[in-house]
Amino acid sequence: MRRLLWLGIGLAVGALVVRAVTKKAQAFTPQGIAAQARDSAAGFAGSIRGFVDDVRDGMAEREAEIHAAFTDGSTLDEDLYPEGRQHR
């Protein structure tokens, strides 16, 4: 009975090892390398898209600040000119 238990455990571990090795070997085939490159390119494109969206949001926010300062007639960047000094 004990030998049968160890045989079952050995078969299960062997099957898991064969499956893991096959999966790793698939990553080094031309199709696996192409899939990795495609996934990397998609991730990079998503990162660029996110960066562009962040820049656009920042531009819209800054434009709103400029318009508000223009309509109020206030200094736009008081931290740059703390004493009301104008840039010439």
Side-chain angles (χ1 to χ4, degrees), residues 60-79:
E61 182 180 324
R62 184 63 176 164
E63 185 177 352
E65 290 174 4
I66 291 170
H67 283 289
F70 183 72
T71 57
D72 293 344
S74 62
T75 304
L76 186 61
D77 288 322
E78 293 177 2
D79 57 332

Side-chain angles (χ1 to χ4, degrees), residues 78 80-86:
E78 293 177 2
L80 293 177
Y81 308 110
E83 297 173 4
R85 196 170 42 125
Q86 295 298 321

Side-chain angles (χ1 to χ4, degrees), residues 13-41:
V13 169
L16 290 174
V17 167
V18 167
R19 185 174 177 185
V21 168
T22 303
K23 196 173 188 179
K24 288 289 184 182
Q26 177 65 26
F28 295 108
T29 63
Q31 293 85 6
I33 292 171
Q36 288 175 355
R38 185 176 49 247
D39 293 343
S40 295

